[in-house]
Amino acid sequence: MKTLYYSHPDFLLHETGKGHPECADRLRSIAKALDAPEFAHLIRVVPPLGTEQQIRLIHPRFHIEAIRAAIPEHGEHFLDHDTVVSPGSEKAAFRAVGAVCDAVDKVVTGQADNAFCAIRPPGHHAEPDLSMGFCLFNNVAIAAEYARLHHHLERIAIVDFDVHHGNGTQAAFSNQPNVLFASSHEMPNYPGTGFPTETGVGNIINVPLAAGDTGVEFRKKYNTIILPALRNFKPDLLLISAGFDAHKDDPLASIMLDEDDYRWITQELMDIAGCYCKGRIISALEGGYNLKALAASVAVHIKTLLGH
Ligand SMILES: [Zn+2]
């Protein structure tokens, strides 16, 4: 497979302060894992800066302006109790949006089969007019809207296997039948949404997991609920909100997945993308806070995307 890998030093400029789990070392640990020879064929792309126009596909101007206004000249500023901005945050956040949109351009036009965007800040908790949960702009939601409006794709599926509910993505698309949003997440846990009764206009699928659940329960729920829904939807493009914090070693949650579960879900999603949308997948990093587990899980995810 022709797999693109997006990363950039700007993503390290988003500083969250000492002890914050969503730290620049996350990307450093991923980069180190990808130095292995088996990733020699990964096509490394320098992402462009995203544009305000792209961000406004999901977020109103006042939201963008409020984030800009909150960015301090030095140190960090807390937008809420866990969402932080620093002097480099605007550049990082715009670059993250640029990465996912460039990946849409290249994958949709057939220049590559799939892409992984190692970006931060993450995005899936960012609602159209609210930053929260470490997220400023909703990268994956922007990518979905960009693919719909700029590439005229009709049906976009977003699968979110981060251990936390993607409330921001759900909020962006709860009235949009052409975007299917399927999320598996631990409940109860942050942010508190994601009940199966939250169905949007029939396009939202929430699959809660319970603390202690392993790959057995995870795979069963995907096999019985999310994967059949994806096949039924027949997407033109598949986006993944790829958080790796359902790993058994992650400090922010209590789901017990291991690297093989991430290999499995990646392969299942590739099989569906292969059937319905020429294999087109764009995967964007969300959570994952144990550096070792994150690096190993991302490595397996990318190895699978490469077809190894
Ligand atoms: Zn998460």
Side-chain angles (χ1 to χ4, degrees):
M1 296 293 261
K2 219 171 165 183
T3 299
L4 308 179
Y5 175 73
Y6 287 82
S7 195
H8 196 283
D10 279 358
F11 299 138
L12 308 176
L13 301 178
H14 171 61
E15 286 170 15
T16 47
K18 203 170 166 23
H20 197 291
E22 202 293 284
C23 59
D25 279 346
R26 297 176 62 233
L27 294 191
R28 294 190 185 99
S29 69
I30 291 171
K32 207 172 154 204
L34 299 183
D35 279 341
E38 57 204 318
F39 299 103
H41 297 301
L42 202 52
I43 303 167
R44 287 153 205 264
V45 184
V46 177
L49 270 176
T51 64
E52 191 165 325
Q53 212 179 359
Q54 289 167 338
I55 296 169
R56 289 199 61 202
L57 291 169
I58 294 293
H59 301 283
R61 176 172 283 151
F62 77 83
H63 173 81
I64 303 171
E65 290 308 323
I67 288 174
R68 280 192 168 128
I71 289 176
E73 282 188 34
H74 309 283
E76 289 101 32
H77 173 80
F78 280 75
L79 297 173
D80 62 24
H81 69 284
D82 58 11
T83 310
V84 182
V85 285
S86 68
S89 296
E90 182 176 340
K91 224 176 183 185
F94 271 68
R95 187 77 68 186
V97 169
V100 293
C101 290
D102 193 71
V104 168
D105 287 337
K106 294 207 161 68
V107 169
V108 170
T109 57
Q111 297 173 61
D113 295 300
N114 54 38
F116 181 76
C117 303
I119 53 180
R120 54 186 295 276
H124 73 151
H125 293 307
E127 298 190 356
D129 57 3
L130 182 67
S131 300
M132 58 182 276
F134 316 161
C135 303
L136 303 181
F137 304 133
N138 195 319
N139 307 308
V140 164
I142 292 167
E145 216 41 11
Y146 183 74
R148 263 171 26 82
L149 299 178
H150 286 258
H151 291 280
H152 309 292
L153 298 187
E154 276 180 28
R155 289 180 309 283
I156 315 288
I158 303 172
V159 174
D160 184 331
F161 59 63
D162 188 281
V163 83
H164 303 100
H165 178 236
N167 60 292
T169 314
Q170 174 171 304
F173 296 117
S174 57
N175 289 312
Q176 177 46 271
N178 293 327
V179 177
L180 179 77
F181 176 64
S183 175
S184 58
H185 43 269
E186 180 178 338
M187 284 192 94
N189 199 325
Y190 184 88
T193 50
F195 290 92
T197 48
E198 297 163 28
T199 55
V201 287
N203 64 321
I204 307 284
I205 299 170
N206 283 309
V207 177
L209 301 164
D213 274 359
T214 66
V216 174
E217 290 83 11
F218 177 84
R219 294 182 192 208
K220 194 172 164 195
K221 292 208 162 156
Y222 271 86
N223 274 328
T224 54
I225 304 171
I226 294 181
L227 299 178
L230 288 169
R231 286 189 202 99
N232 192 43
F233 183 70
K234 301 181 176 54
D236 297 318
L237 175 67
L238 179 55
L239 302 177
I240 304 177
S241 263
F244 297 91
D245 42 8
H247 192 284
K248 59 186 167 52
D249 296 333
D250 195 275
L252 296 198
S254 309
I255 302 298
M256 307 300 282
L257 301 192
D258 60 22
E259 288 83 346
D260 192 55
D261 296 309
Y262 289 116
R263 182 202 56 71
W264 177 82
I265 186 60
T266 307
Q267 187 60 56
E268 292 292 323
L269 295 176
M270 286 175 71
D271 291 348
I272 286 174
C275 277
Y276 299 107
C277 54
K278 304 176 192 163
R280 300 194 283 219
I281 291 181
I282 292 150
S283 177
L285 182 65
E286 301 284 359
Y289 305 102
N290 175 306
L291 298 183
K292 213 175 144 197
L294 173 66
S297 302
V298 169
V300 165
H301 180 59
I302 292 179
K303 217 184 289 182
T304 311
L305 288 174
L306 279 164
H308 288 183

